[in-house]
Amino acid sequence: MEELGSVAARVGVVWLVLVFALVVLPSALGISLGISEAYMWVLVKTLEWATIRIEKGVKKPQPQMLKSPAANGIIERDETPMEKEIEHLHRVEFEFSDIFYFCRKGFEAIVEDEVTQRFSSEELVSWNLLTRTNVNFHYISLRLTVVWVIGVIVRYCLLLPLRFTLATIGITSMIVGTTMVGQLPNSSVKDYLSEVVHLTCSRILVRALSGTIHYHNKENKPQKGGICVANHTSPIDVIMLTNDGCYAMVGQVHGGLMGVIQSATVKACPHVWFERSEIKDRHLVTKRLREHVADKSKLPILIFPEGTCINNTSVMMFKKGSFEIGGTIYPVAIKYDPQFGDAFWNSSKYNIVSYLLRIMTSWAIVCNVWYLPPMVRKEGEDAVQFANRVKSAIAHQGGLTELPWDGGLKRAKVKDTFKEEQQKNYSKMLVRNGSIGSLSTGTESD
Amino acid sequence: MGSAHSVPAEMRELADRTGFTSEQIEHLHRRFKQLSRDQLTIRKENFDSIPDLEFNPIRAKIVHAFFDKRNLRPESDGLADEINFEDFLTIMSYFRPIEMNMDEEQLDRFRKEKLKFLFHMYDSDHDGKITLQEYRNVVEELLSGNPHLEKESARSIADGAMMEAASICVGQMGPDQVYEGITFEDFLKMWQGIDIETKMHVRFLNMETIAHCY
């Protein structure tokens, strides 16, 4: 037993030394040893091989190999506007047939609706050897199954412990590092050190997720005194962005581990954490953020205006609060590649711990981050229009669709005002066509 | 290592009965699970989670149609509290588009089924007739959002349309004759010659994914 104990201890020590030398040190210095690149190369080759095997396994000859790109949906919606449709069916008066249009629209909505789709994970075109994405794919061959089993072993027994170690190291050093830096008096040295600590820990955490991030247009990186807005897919968006620069976070104070991190980091760097009660007071929030932005020496604020996690196929309504603060907005588009791992956090299905477990047992997290040119509010543009303009820019760059709906619909119901809109339109049409007038001179029956 | 939503034999039986392909059934099954939140049956409340449906003025009637037993099984009546996936598919099949290989008789039956579905939507008290009051209800629902339109106007629209229906079905009425309501046969008569099949269907995309072997 003692021998086992000492062997285990020695393995543990070797393990930690390796991790330190190969991961932590390069993170601190900001250099890359190329291990991630090699891993990704192997991964891509394996997945390509798997896809070819799956294609070969198909017995029926397929005229089209790819799902149609509109297939974020299963029905083809008829987009004829209401007026045209109803005109076709009859003359100008109300008839039984008017009900067809609404009936059909109702059924289309029941079969699929744009909003609920965004809160479930994106479907893949070809399988990536993870059981969780195995929705459409059936048993193919023995060789593929063997590769899949090897994949499971690699992911759970090799990658998971490694990532877990790294994550622990990353979080601990973040807490310890920022507390130490926080003791220093305010000076440029302190700012520099706090930047170093934040960047290093961020890099360690990215490696903990086997993340590969491609940054585009670095010349548009957010400057001090600005506001950075991005689309929100998961809590790890923050890590993706802080890997390349330092930001002042904005958020609610949490309890537990998160709370410890928050209280440690705020000593080193002026993050903006709100108490739960303060969040309700919008004026207070705007005032504090405005003060922060006005101070040009402070780091740019990072805000996610959607307010909730969306599944990275579309961008939902941007809440106007962030756009009322003023200052320069630096939009950032984040798009994850779902082939290697699904980054979307479905908070109604998984809690944060099981979400992190899923992330750590995926192949990798690959994402593209585009820094867009800065935008300011134009003359005569109100906050809502500005928010929509920024939203379009982000959606366009990231290749995401734009939806006008509010992310809050995940939990709440649609307001009644929307329903009345449609009814108003229909009745306006009837009135305009004069049917009411012509009927009122006709017969009255009772 | 495979995905199994339902046993293949059951699937084929469903496919034959409702006319959907197995991929469409699988997709609809996933949609059903989403709406039912992974339960085996759906209740009326589950339809509240569809934002697009909120837009629709006749939303209540559409949801009601799913639970109307007359649509689920021939010769039955009343309202169901909850429906399972088979029932869901049965209702969905009313909105299936026409297939190329249908013969006269099938087309006729198809058309009749769709019209019967529509008839049940109007006939809310299940007595087999669309009375003036029921018709007025539908018009009011469609127009209720407009604050400028008074109830009187809605009523006169309904009355006018009912008069027209009466003239088609019964012809010239004597001064003492009362038109009780539109029966299903009269309803069919009204739609003669008008092409409703293309207006009352939902087009499903042809879903062929890469890896699919049987």
Side-chain angles (χ1 to χ4, degrees):
Chain A
M1 273 318 286
E2 259 193 26
E3 285 187 11
L4 265 177
S6 62
V7 166
R10 267 212 289 203
V11 168
V13 168
V14 168
W15 173 251
L16 279 175
V17 167
L18 268 179
V19 165
F20 191 75
L22 292 176
V23 181
V24 178
L25 215 50
S27 311
L29 301 173
I31 57 177
S32 161
L33 285 179
I35 301 180
S36 303
E37 279 81 359
Y39 168 65
M40 292 303 297
W41 186 86
V42 169
L43 195 55
V44 167
K45 287 287 170 220
T46 321
L47 288 180
E48 272 176 15
W49 175 84
T51 315
I52 296 179
R53 298 275 337 157
I54 296 176
E55 283 176 16
K56 276 207 195 127
V58 173
K59 295 198 181 98
K60 263 191 352 190
Q62 302 274 357
Q64 283 168 315
M65 290 308 258
L66 288 174
K67 227 173 182 175
S68 58
N72 261 335
I74 61 171
I75 53 174
E76 185 188 325
R77 291 191 136 159
D78 193 357
E79 297 290 340
T80 353
M82 171 165 62
E83 286 86 354
K84 262 221 194 112
E85 179 104 6
I86 296 194
E87 265 168 37
H88 273 150
L89 285 174
H90 65 89
R91 305 156 328 260
V92 292
E93 289 138 24
F94 174 84
E95 276 199 12
F96 278 95
S97 45
D98 291 348
I99 206 172
F100 277 140
Y101 174 80
F102 292 110
C103 220
R104 198 178 73 232
K105 283 284 161 194
F107 261 75
E108 280 174 357
I110 291 178
V111 172
E112 101 195 332
D113 76 284
E114 294 184 308
V115 175
T116 325
Q117 272 185 320
R118 308 303 165 181
F119 295 123
S120 61
S121 301
E122 193 179 352
E123 282 187 26
L124 288 176
V125 178
S126 78
W127 191 38
N128 65 349
L129 295 176
L130 294 174
T131 328
R132 61 192 73 141
T133 50
N134 187 4
V135 180
N136 282 333
F137 305 101
H138 307 253
Y139 177 77
I140 308 288
S141 72
L142 182 63
R143 245 188 273 181
L144 200 59
T145 320
V146 166
V147 171
W148 174 71
V149 169
I150 297 179
V152 170
I153 298 178
V154 163
R155 280 185 295 127
Y156 279 84
C157 304
L158 193 59
L159 292 178
L160 183 59
L162 172 65
R163 288 174 181 165
F164 192 70
T165 325
L166 283 176
T168 330
I169 296 180
I171 297 180
T172 340
S173 46
M174 168 98 94
I175 299 178
V176 168
T178 46
T179 319
M180 289 199 319
V181 172
Q183 308 300 330
L184 298 173
N186 282 349
S187 64
S188 52
V189 175
K190 178 181 180 187
D191 291 338
Y192 174 69
L193 281 178
S194 129
E195 240 187 75
V196 167
V197 169
H198 275 100
L199 277 175
T200 313
C201 299
S202 218
R203 288 192 192 120
I204 299 179
L205 287 173
V206 167
R207 279 173 174 76
L209 301 170
S210 297
T212 307
I213 314 175
H214 302 285
Y215 295 98
H216 305 266
N217 305 335
K218 281 201 182 185
E219 67 273 8
N220 292 326
K221 230 161 79 159
Q223 306 290 332
K224 292 199 173 153
I227 304 177
C228 176
V229 301
N231 57 318
H232 199 31
T233 309
S234 101
I236 59 175
D237 284 344
V238 172
I239 306 178
M240 299 291 142
L241 288 178
T242 52
N243 189 42
D244 194 38
C246 279
Y247 299 89
M249 312 285 170
V250 175
Q252 222 178 39
V253 171
H254 287 96
L257 181 61
M258 199 61 218
V260 174
I261 300 178
Q262 284 178 326
S263 45
T265 50
V266 81
K267 294 197 185 85
C269 170
H271 297 301
V272 186
W273 304 122
F274 289 101
E275 297 291 332
R276 181 148 282 182
S277 49
E278 289 177 324
I279 283 257
K280 300 255 168 46
D281 186 351
R282 272 192 51 202
H283 287 295
L284 183 67
V285 170
T286 321
K287 188 158 126 357
R288 260 182 83 179
L289 290 176
R290 227 177 243 157
E291 283 165 3
H292 185 110
V293 169
D295 185 352
K296 292 293 170 200
S297 69
K298 294 217 169 131
L299 296 169
I301 315 179
L302 180 56
I303 295 185
F304 296 105
E306 279 164 318
T308 187
C309 295
I310 316 287
N311 77 345
N312 210 232
T313 56
S314 68
V315 181
M316 290 199 155
M317 183 175 101
F318 273 10
K319 297 194 165 42
K320 64 176 167 98
S322 339
F323 298 89
E324 287 172 334
I325 304 173
T328 328
I329 302 275
Y330 295 91
V332 176
I334 308 177
K335 177 86 176 97
Y336 291 90
D337 187 345
Q339 192 65 20
F340 298 101
D342 178 28
F344 167 56
W345 182 32
N346 192 346
S347 51
S348 42
K349 238 177 153 185
Y350 307 107
N351 61 6
I352 185 76
V353 176
S354 47
Y355 167 69
L356 285 174
L357 201 63
R358 276 166 63 96
I359 291 284
M360 289 199 192
T361 52
S362 313
W363 293 118
I365 303 288
V366 177
C367 77
N368 284 296
V369 175
W370 286 275
Y371 293 109
L372 296 166
M375 296 173 142
V376 280
R377 187 141 66 127
K378 293 202 188 116
E379 286 285 329
E381 198 180 33
D382 73 354
V384 175
Q385 290 166 330
F386 184 36
N388 285 334
R389 196 158 58 93
V390 174
K391 187 175 80 155
S392 304
I394 294 184
H396 187 72
Q397 178 63 277
L400 309 162
T401 51
E402 255 189 271
L403 288 182
W405 294 97
D406 183 353
L409 284 176
K410 203 194 229 179
R411 298 183 191 99
K413 283 183 65 170
V414 179
K415 292 194 260 218
D416 273 328
T417 41
F418 282 117
K419 176 157 56 166
E420 284 156 15
E421 267 309 306
Q422 190 80 334
Q423 290 172 318
K424 271 192 215 150
N425 282 341
Y426 176 70
S427 48
K428 257 190 235 160
M429 216 180 64
L430 278 190
V431 173
R432 207 177 344 127
N433 286 335
S435 58
I436 313 262
S438 64
L439 277 177
S440 58
T441 56
T443 50
E444 286 279 324
S445 63
D446 224 314
Chain B
M1 196 175 90
S3 68
H5 296 290
S6 49
V7 177
E10 264 174 36
M11 177 93 88
R12 245 176 292 133
E13 198 246 316
L14 273 175
D16 288 332
R17 198 151 50 80
T18 57
F20 286 120
T21 66
S22 36
E23 287 114 0
Q24 288 165 350
I25 294 187
E26 262 181 56
H27 276 277
L28 284 173
H29 186 83
R30 248 180 286 149
R31 178 61 171 163
F32 181 84
K33 282 208 289 197
Q34 218 179 32
L35 288 176
S36 71
R37 291 170 210 268
D38 287 329
Q39 306 289 320
L40 286 173
T41 56
I42 286 189
R43 315 181 84 93
K44 280 202 176 159
E45 297 82 56
N46 295 108
F47 285 95
D48 289 343
S49 59
I50 306 177
D52 277 348
L53 194 58
E54 293 297 310
F55 260 162
N56 207 306
I58 53 168
R59 178 190 172 283
K61 285 225 172 339
I62 294 178
V63 172
H64 187 94
F66 274 82
F67 295 89
D68 189 342
K69 283 206 187 139
R70 296 177 293 177
N71 294 330
L72 292 175
R73 276 163 279 279
E75 312 307 323
S76 66
D77 203 353
L79 272 183
D81 285 327
E82 49 185 21
I83 52 172
N84 60 17
F85 180 55
E86 236 185 88
D87 296 330
F88 184 72
L89 269 190
T90 313
I91 305 281
M92 279 293 161
S93 67
Y94 283 105
F95 275 78
R96 220 167 76 236
I98 336 172
E99 278 138 51
M100 295 300 140
N101 55 1
M102 282 183 156
D103 60 23
E104 272 294 327
E105 195 199 311
Q106 276 179 316
L107 274 175
D108 194 48
R109 196 163 27 101
F110 207 51
R111 188 188 156 88
K112 248 195 174 165
E113 276 173 11
K114 291 197 189 221
L115 283 173
K116 198 142 216 229
F117 185 77
L118 206 59
F119 185 78
H120 290 158
M121 257 200 183
Y122 274 96
D123 181 22
S124 40
D125 63 1
H126 298 219
D127 65 353
K129 286 204 287 276
I130 303 180
T131 59
L132 182 62
Q133 192 50 50
E134 283 167 349
Y135 196 72
R136 278 183 190 157
N137 285 343
V138 176
V139 179
E140 271 164 31
E141 240 175 60
L142 282 171
L143 299 178
S144 51
N146 191 338
H148 301 297
L149 213 56
E150 294 137 21
K151 244 194 162 174
E152 305 312 312
S153 324
R155 284 183 109 198
S156 56
I157 296 176
D159 296 349
M162 208 61 177
M163 293 296 296
E164 190 175 327
S167 63
I168 296 180
C169 307
V170 186
Q172 276 291 71
M173 289 202 303
D176 297 341
Q177 261 186 310
V178 170
Y179 188 50
E180 278 172 9
I182 308 176
T183 59
F184 186 52
E185 285 70 36
D186 294 341
F187 196 68
L188 283 179
K189 247 192 264 175
M190 284 173 64
W191 292 110
Q192 247 171 10
I194 303 180
D195 167 33
I196 57 122
E197 290 88 345
T198 53
K199 290 300 162 191
M200 206 168 136
H201 75 257
V202 169
R203 277 188 289 246
F204 285 87
L205 288 175
N206 193 5
M207 315 299 306
E208 305 262 297
T209 53
I210 290 186
H212 231 115
C213 57
Y214 298 95

